[in-house]
Amino acid sequence: MTRQPETKCWRRFSEMCYQRNSETTMAGKPKLHYFNGRGRMESIRWLLAAAGVEFEEKFIETPEDWDKLRNDGCLMFQQVPLVEMDGMKLVQTRAILNYIATKYNLYGKDIKERALIDMYTEGMADLNEMIIVLPLCPPDQKDAKIALIKERMTDRYLPVFEKVLKSHGQDYLVGNTLSKADIHLVELLYYVEELDPSLLANFPLLKALKTRISNLPTVKKFLQPGSPRKPPIDEKSLEQAKKIFRIK
């Protein structure tokens, strides 16, 4: 199938982002409640940013902040992330992501496309979870855990998405239209590169997708220094998060 001209895609994407920014201004910015780190909120930050939606962050900085949030009755299951938007207090990461994707037309055009998007993103979530919990791994187990993650990346997950792109020859994973699957995958590819840049060497279509999505104006802005995008968690940040959430 033929690719759509890049300029046409960008023009349509820019028009959609202008409309989204207007809607956000009228309704108020989403407010994200989490600690000042990646964790499970980072995919939400990525998706909102890619959709061209500005948001505010209310960081949980102390155990007292955490207690107050829980005691206020905002957390259905006593867990964060919490996102306030459209008059709702949304919890559970995948529910939040699905709401954002649906609202901003990043969830396919019909039930079949949504099924594909869900299958792809569930696989990404499995791999992302391994990366998220890596900093909590005991030092004597870390090398083995990293080796397992690399093996799963190159043998199980990345080949699937490379094959999908090769099978239809289109610019995006589903329906030749930007969806949350593309955004989540590119976020994941950045984490892959942080772990070991050589892991992408045998996946040229994934590398091309990463470049393509990274050059979308909203994503490009999010990748710039000073954006809400969070860096890899370091030892100091990890200890602070453990203190806030009283993790032993």
Side-chain angles (χ1 to χ4, degrees), residues 18-38:
Y18 176 80
Q19 180 181 359
R20 291 165 187 169
N21 279 326
S22 299
E23 292 172 355
T24 301
T25 301
M26 292 174 64
K29 295 178 181 179
K31 183 181 290 186
L32 282 51
H33 297 263
Y34 206 64
F35 76 96
N36 189 10
R38 283 182 180 174

Side-chain angles (χ1 to χ4, degrees), residues 13 25 46-48 50 87 93 95-96 98 111 117 121 123 128 138 151 165 178 189 209-210 220 226 231 246:
F13 184 74
T25 301
W46 265 86
L47 194 59
L48 285 169
T93 306
I96 296 168
N98 288 345
I111 191 170
I117 290 169
T121 56
N128 196 31
E151 178 187 335
L165 291 170
L178 183 69
L189 294 179
L209 177 72
K210 177 175 173 286
K220 191 172 185 177
R246 298 184 177 92

Side-chain angles (χ1 to χ4, degrees), residues 4 61 95 129 145 178 201 248:
Q4 289 184 315
E61 298 179 323
E129 182 69 15
K145 183 66 71 173
L178 183 69
K248 302 297 184 181

Side-chain angles (χ1 to χ4, degrees), residues 129-164:
E129 182 69 15
M130 297 177 72
I131 297 172
I132 287 175
V133 301
L134 182 60
L136 298 172
C137 183
D140 61 335
Q141 300 175 23
K142 200 158 192 176
D143 288 346
K145 183 66 71 173
I146 290 173
L148 176 62
I149 292 173
K150 288 182 178 181
E151 178 187 335
R152 293 286 172 82
M153 284 178 177
T154 54
D155 294 348
R156 179 178 297 185
Y157 293 102
L158 299 186
V160 168
F161 303 120
E162 181 81 4
K163 184 177 179 180
V164 169

Side-chain angles (χ1 to χ4, degrees), residues 48-63:
L48 285 169
V53 179
E54 294 183 358
F55 55 86
E56 300 175 357
E57 297 199 76
K58 176 67 174 176
F59 294 126
I60 303 168
E61 298 179 323
T62 66

Side-chain angles (χ1 to χ4, degrees), residues 76-116:
M76 186 179 294
F77 301 107
Q78 301 292 297
Q79 297 170 321
V80 285
L82 165 66
V83 174
E84 295 186 70
M85 64 184 298
D86 298 339
M88 297 188 295
K89 295 181 178 179
L90 302 170
V91 296
Q92 299 300 103
T93 306
R94 292 174 191 175
I96 296 168
L97 292 169
N98 288 345
Y99 181 84
I100 294 167
T102 301
K103 178 171 181 175
Y104 296 109
N105 300 315
L106 295 169
Y107 208 178
K109 69 177 184 296
D110 56 36
I111 191 170
K112 290 184 177 181
E113 288 194 356
R114 287 193 292 275
L116 288 173

